[in-house]
Amino acid sequence: MKLAAIDIGSNAARCQISTALNQNGKVIFKRLEYIRYPMRLGDDVFSQGYISEKKVQKFIKLMHAFKLLLEVHEVDHYMICATSAMRSSRNAPEVLQQVQDTLGMEIQVIDGDTEADLVNRVIVSFLDERNYLHIDVGGGSTEFNIYVNREKVACQSFEQGSIRHMQGRDSKVLWDSMRRWTEENARKFNLTRAIGTGGNINKIFEMAGKTTGKPIFRKQIEEVSARIAAMSMEQRLTELLLNPDRADVILPAAEIYLSAMKWARLESMLVPNVGLKDGMLHALYERNHPDRFTISSIN
């Protein structure tokens, strides 16, 4: 079975095509194709409240390219989800209808809780007996989830993300609300470790030279952040080889991760390099496969 997940985020749009392989009752997702394009819908939406006509036309072209990719791969089932920027855009209904009329592709605009539930499908396999604070920082929103004995016991979505923070679209009230929620739940559930998802923490983990499966420590995140902060934007592009859409938001995102870890008094974080698109693939498989095999891993 070939499955595709298209994640329309505030910073980038991602399309992943995977094949689901059944190995003696356990399902493994093998990636066939992955494309990430820096659509940056959040630049428009968080500054002016709507998606500009120029960006709408580019978005439709991108969705057409994704549709052709799904066709040549002969994908059996696909899902398209849009998150914070599309939720916040005044002209989102018109944009979505235009994609539907032009390409016949239905885009689901999901709320923060649904986004967190989809990510939860892949996060649990990385957890152990510790009590975890899951921090998922996107371009327009941040989701906090708390896991005890691998069960989610609390969650909260905040309209705070790397692009909003970079643009100064957040407020002290919002930061205070995030801090209170995190501190109260950290005490209540005796949290001992963080788990982080999102493109920026994946890049920080890579820059820290960490090994897959090993935690990164708060001090190491601070060190990488300080190294980036000491460089000009041009140096980030030419010396660190960061993409332009990563170079400007990585520090605002790092501040959110670090703040949450400090509020919860956590010193280490797992970074499993999975996200919304992986949860979407799981949901697609469970919805369309007649048997209920155990989903074991993602390649």
Side-chain angles (χ1 to χ4, degrees), residues 222-233:
E222 291 170 342
E223 289 170 350
V224 171
S225 299
R227 178 152 58 99
I228 297 171
M231 293 184 166
S232 66
M233 193 60 64

Side-chain angles (χ1 to χ4, degrees), residues 26 38 111 194 224 261:
K26 291 188 178 295
D111 59 24
V224 171
M261 292 181 75

Side-chain angles (χ1 to χ4, degrees), residues 90-160:
R90 292 198 301 270
N91 63 338
E94 292 83 359
V95 174
L96 299 176
Q97 190 61 52
Q98 193 170 348
V99 172
Q100 176 76 53
D101 294 343
T102 306
L103 302 172
M105 303 176 81
E106 181 182 356
I107 300 175
Q108 303 175 48
V109 181
I110 59 175
D111 59 24
D113 290 339
T114 302
E115 186 175 353
D117 286 342
L118 286 167
V119 178
N120 176 64
R121 294 170 181 265
V122 287
I123 286 296
V124 291
S125 63
F126 296 95
L127 305 180
D128 53 24
E129 71 281 356
R130 295 178 178 86
N131 295 349
Y132 283 86
L133 170 65
H134 173 217
I135 310 165
D136 183 40
V137 179
S141 66
T142 294
E143 277 68 49
F144 290 153
N145 304 282
I146 291 177
Y147 296 90
V148 174
N149 294 326
R150 302 183 69 187
E151 294 288 337
K152 186 160 71 172
V153 296
C155 63
Q156 185 67 47
S157 178
F158 295 93
E159 290 297 289
Q160 163 69 298

Side-chain angles (χ1 to χ4, degrees), residues 7 29 34-35 57 70 78 103-104 146 158 187 192 211-212 227 230 243 293:
D7 167 13
F29 290 90
Y34 175 67
I35 293 176
Q57 294 309 313
L70 267 55
Y78 70 89
L103 302 172
I146 291 177
F158 295 93
R187 288 193 298 268
T192 55
T211 304
T212 302
R227 178 152 58 99
N243 291 329
F293 298 113

